[in-house]
């Protein structure tokens, strides 16, 4: 098996550079997706000519959290100075969700509801509102947070349910322009998950079947040199079954861990889409989050669970491969230089094999080393702190939206540079850019940091990803073994 074809991509994949700058307007980045919206100032004494339709030529980007010169709505009442009722039209308040077709007509939060929110739901002891403005299907409230964000969110949500039922959803977020809290209330009807043209189970099944084929193919070197010969030698694919099963087992451990923790914290995950790769068998899986995540700690738990489980099992299998002799007494002959491709694999090889590992002297290893190594690489790929990968979600949960956006831009940029020299990096860049770039949808409450023990788990995942991907820089022994 040609190990260098599997692993040189690791180092390049992790080194990425800034090409995307953080957005200047928080909620346009955090809350708005693709659809434009209609914001109206309605007056019973005015005809329809007074309606301002942002859906035609004025996108929402022209709005701002800052006060503009000229006549302004009364920020304390939600009305124009002449008593005009500010009504908010429909729009998608979250990335990854869109208003269903039947809800395309305006969904307005009435003035009376806005007054209830301002005067009865928010208060001095929770979130003291200083101003408000209509925003994409809801109302944005600027103000001062009182007390701990988590407790404040709980109090305000409870009051909102008592006063208004389950018709509205509250988000307590941070404005990265000034790092001050804002509260957004939107009609719950607008929070509908996106639908796909092809049923999820069908698309996921199709991707899964192709992934089974690439996992088998990756472990049959005789077929990799001539891909078209596969169709004339289908029987050879069975030779790749042991390696495919080990890699599939590590993928399964990763995804099952995600789902188990997600169920525990009340997060709904979609069907995993396994992404085939003829270079390493599989790039991992894309799994959508279907509901609004409560807070950063819950997101961190779910995002870190998969890589932690995958790294743990993969590490045990890698150790076993170095310790156990090959079942056939021969194993796989590799050049020790391949172990320079990973700091983790090279360090373990040097520790366990000692002077047997010499530069330029091929050695025999248990195939389990290669199979486990491939599984570790797949987990490391998904731990890159970019977009909506596990690593990107971990970075967002630990350091917040602004810092994670910069880190994601840095990672994607360096991955782009790496793609000039490595085809695996190129394919992974395309996958992230078009499918996993983000942004991560807003959480119900984004102000509260995770507990230190969960922060430590996140750091461990990112660090293990680095160990797998960074090269081993130290030379192996040049002295012959005694």
């Amino acid at each position: 098996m040609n190990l260098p074809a599997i692993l040189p991509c690791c180092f390049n994949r992790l080194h990425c550079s800034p090409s995307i700058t953080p957005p200047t307007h928080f909620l346009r980045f955090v809350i708005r997706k693709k659809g434009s919206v209609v914001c109206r100032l309605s007056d019973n004494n005015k005809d329809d000519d007074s309606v301002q339709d942002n859906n035609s030529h004025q996108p929402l980007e022209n709005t701002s959290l800052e006060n503009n010169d000229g006549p302004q709505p009364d920020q304390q009442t939600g009305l124009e100075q002449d008593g005009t009722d500010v009504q908010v039209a429909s729009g998608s308040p979250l990335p990854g969700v869109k208003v269903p077709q039947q809800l395309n007509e305006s969904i307005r939060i009435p003035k009376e509801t806005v007054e209830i929110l301002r005067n009865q739901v928010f208060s001095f002891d929770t979130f003291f509102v200083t101003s408000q403005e209509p925003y994409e299907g809801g109302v944005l409230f600027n103000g001062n947070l009182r007390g701990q964000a988590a407790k404040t969110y709980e109090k305000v949500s409870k009051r909102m349910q008592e006063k208004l039922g389950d018709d509205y959803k509250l988000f307590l977020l941070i404005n990265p322009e000034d790092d001050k809290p804002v509260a957004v209330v939107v009609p719950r009807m607008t929070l509908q998950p996106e639908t796909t043209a092809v049923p999820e189970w069908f698309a996921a099944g199709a991707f899964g079947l192709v992934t089974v084929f690439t996992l088998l193919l990756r472990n049959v070197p005789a077929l990799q040199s001539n891909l078209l010969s596969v169709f004339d030698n289908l029987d050879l694919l069975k030779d790749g079954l042991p390696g495919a099963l080990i890699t599939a087992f590590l993928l399964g451990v990763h995804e099952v861990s995600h789902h188990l923790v997600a169920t525990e914290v009340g997060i709904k995950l979609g069907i995993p889409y396994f992404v085939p790769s003829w270079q390493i068998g599989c790039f991992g899986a894309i799994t959508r989050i279907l509901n609004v995540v409560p807070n950063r700690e819950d997101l961190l738990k779910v995002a870190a669970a998969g890589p932690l489980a995958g790294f743990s099992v993969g590490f045990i299998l890698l150790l076993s491969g170095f310790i156990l002799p090959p079942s056939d007494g021969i194993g796989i002959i590799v050049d020790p230089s391949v172990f320079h491709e990973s700091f983790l694999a090279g360090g373990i090889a040097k520790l366990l094999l000692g002077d047997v590992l010499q530069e330029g002297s091929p050695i025999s290893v248990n195939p389990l080393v290669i199979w486990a190594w491939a599984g570790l690489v797949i987990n490391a790929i998904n731990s890159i702190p970019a977009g909506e990968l596990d690593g990107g979600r971990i970075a967002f949960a630990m350091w917040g939206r602004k810092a994670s956006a910069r880190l994601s831009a840095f990672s994607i940029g360096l991955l782009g540079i790496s793609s000039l020299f490595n085809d695996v990096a190129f394919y992974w860049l395309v996958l992230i850019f078009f499918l996993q770039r983000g942004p991560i949808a807003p959480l119900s409450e984004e102000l509260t940091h995770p507990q230190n023990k969960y922060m430590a788990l996140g750091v461990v995942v990112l660090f293990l990803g680095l160990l797998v991907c960074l090269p081993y820089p130290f030379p192996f022994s040049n002295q012959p073994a005694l």
Side-chain angles (χ1 to χ4, degrees):
M1 181 171 220
N2 187 4
L3 186 63
I6 301 178
L7 300 166
C9 59
C10 307
F11 176 68
N12 293 331
R13 259 192 247 100
L14 199 60
H15 290 64
C16 313
S17 93
S19 60
I20 303 173
T21 57
T24 57
H25 193 298
F26 162 61
L27 287 172
R28 281 198 294 275
F29 170 66
V30 176
I31 295 181
R32 198 169 76 81
K33 193 187 178 188
K34 299 176 183 176
S36 53
V37 299
V38 180
C39 292
R40 294 176 178 164
L41 300 179
S42 64
D43 192 329
N44 292 335
N45 297 324
K46 297 180 182 180
D47 56 28
D48 290 340
D49 292 336
S50 65
V51 174
Q52 178 186 357
D53 188 349
N54 287 334
N55 212 17
S56 56
H57 302 290
Q58 283 295 349
L60 194 60
E61 282 76 0
N62 293 333
T63 64
S64 173
L65 289 175
E66 303 294 336
N67 291 330
N68 298 319
D69 296 333
Q72 296 294 323
D74 184 347
Q75 297 295 336
Q76 302 302 317
T77 63
L79 304 176
E80 288 276 6
Q81 298 292 348
D82 61 0
T84 303
D85 182 6
V86 178
Q87 295 181 317
V88 185
S90 63
S92 175
L94 303 176
V97 298
K98 64 181 180 180
V99 181
Q101 203 65 31
Q102 66 268 26
L103 299 180
N104 281 341
E105 292 300 319
S106 294
I107 305 172
R108 303 181 182 90
I109 297 182
K111 178 189 68 174
E112 294 79 9
T113 300
V114 175
E115 289 300 312
I116 291 174
L117 289 168
R118 184 185 182 94
N119 300 322
Q120 300 181 41
V121 174
F122 297 108
S123 64
F124 250 110
D125 65 330
T126 55
F127 186 87
F128 178 66
V129 176
T130 58
S131 64
Q132 67 195 51
E133 59 183 276
Y135 195 89
E136 293 208 37
V139 179
L140 181 150
F141 295 93
N142 297 295
N144 301 313
L145 179 67
R146 310 292 190 183
Q148 296 181 355
K151 293 182 178 179
T152 293
Y153 182 87
E154 184 178 352
K155 289 180 181 178
V156 174
S157 296
K158 184 177 180 180
R159 289 177 187 170
M160 191 166 70
Q161 186 174 32
E162 292 173 352
K163 300 292 182 181
L164 303 172
D166 292 325
D167 294 337
Y168 300 95
K169 171 66 179 175
L170 169 70
F171 294 89
L172 192 58
L173 312 170
I174 293 178
N175 182 350
E177 292 181 350
D178 55 14
D179 293 324
K180 292 183 178 179
V182 292
V184 177
V185 178
V186 298
R188 198 175 290 271
M189 297 172 66
T190 62
L191 303 179
Q192 301 295 327
E194 285 186 332
T195 56
T196 56
V198 179
E200 281 196 357
W201 61 267
F202 180 82
F207 275 93
L209 288 175
V210 177
T211 300
V212 169
F213 173 76
T214 55
L215 285 173
L216 292 170
L217 178 65
R218 185 61 198 93
N219 291 280
V220 185
L223 298 179
Q224 294 174 32
S225 57
N226 184 2
L227 197 60
L228 295 179
S229 66
V230 172
F231 301 101
D232 298 324
N233 300 277
L234 288 176
D235 289 343
L236 288 178
L237 285 178
K238 68 178 183 297
D239 296 337
L241 185 59
L245 288 176
I246 294 297
T247 306
F249 173 67
L250 289 172
L251 289 170
V253 167
H254 181 114
E255 292 305 316
V256 168
S257 298
H258 276 315
H259 281 265
L260 289 176
V261 176
T263 301
E264 181 181 343
V265 299
I267 295 176
K268 297 178 181 179
L269 299 181
I271 301 173
Y273 288 76
F274 289 97
V275 183
S277 167
W278 68 269
Q279 298 99 334
I280 58 175
C282 180
F283 279 136
I286 296 175
T287 306
R288 294 197 306 156
I289 296 177
L290 302 181
N291 62 340
V292 178
V293 179
N295 52 57
R296 287 160 56 181
E297 185 172 294
D298 287 344
L299 179 64
L300 179 55
K301 290 178 183 178
V302 174
L308 275 177
F311 281 133
S312 299
V313 177
F315 181 73
I316 294 173
L317 292 177
L318 185 66
L319 285 176
S320 301
F322 279 115
I323 295 172
L324 299 176
S327 59
D328 60 0
I330 301 175
I332 296 179
I333 307 300
V334 298
D335 190 287
S337 63
V338 299
F339 293 112
H340 285 294
E341 302 296 340
S342 169
F343 194 97
L344 180 67
I348 293 175
K350 177 62 177 176
L351 179 65
L352 297 181
L353 300 181
D355 290 338
V356 173
L357 197 64
Q358 301 176 45
E359 301 288 356
S361 299
I363 61 172
S364 172
V365 297
N366 191 317
L368 187 57
V369 170
I370 310 302
W371 303 333
W373 192 348
L376 288 171
V377 169
I378 295 171
N379 277 275
I381 286 175
N382 285 274
S383 299
I384 296 174
E388 293 191 83
L389 301 178
D390 291 334
R393 288 170 175 170
I394 289 171
F396 169 76
M398 291 197 299
W399 299 306
R401 190 172 296 276
K402 181 189 290 187
S404 65
R406 291 172 178 171
L407 183 58
S408 178
F410 181 78
S411 300
I412 292 175
L414 277 183
L415 192 61
I417 295 174
S418 301
S419 68
L420 299 176
F421 311 99
N422 186 279
D423 58 343
V424 174
F426 172 77
Y427 295 136
W428 192 238
L429 174 67
V430 172
L431 180 68
I432 295 175
F433 194 81
F434 288 102
L435 298 179
Q436 293 285 81
R437 182 174 47 169
I440 295 173
L443 317 184
S444 294
E445 189 267 290
E446 292 189 8
L447 280 66
T448 304
H449 294 273
Q451 297 181 54
N452 289 337
K453 61 182 179 180
Y454 297 116
M455 295 280 284
L457 291 178
V459 171
V460 167
V461 170
L462 299 181
F463 181 68
L464 288 174
L466 276 174
L467 288 183
V468 173
C469 292
L470 290 178
Y472 184 80
F474 309 109
F476 300 127
S477 175
N478 289 315
Q479 300 297 325
L482 296 180

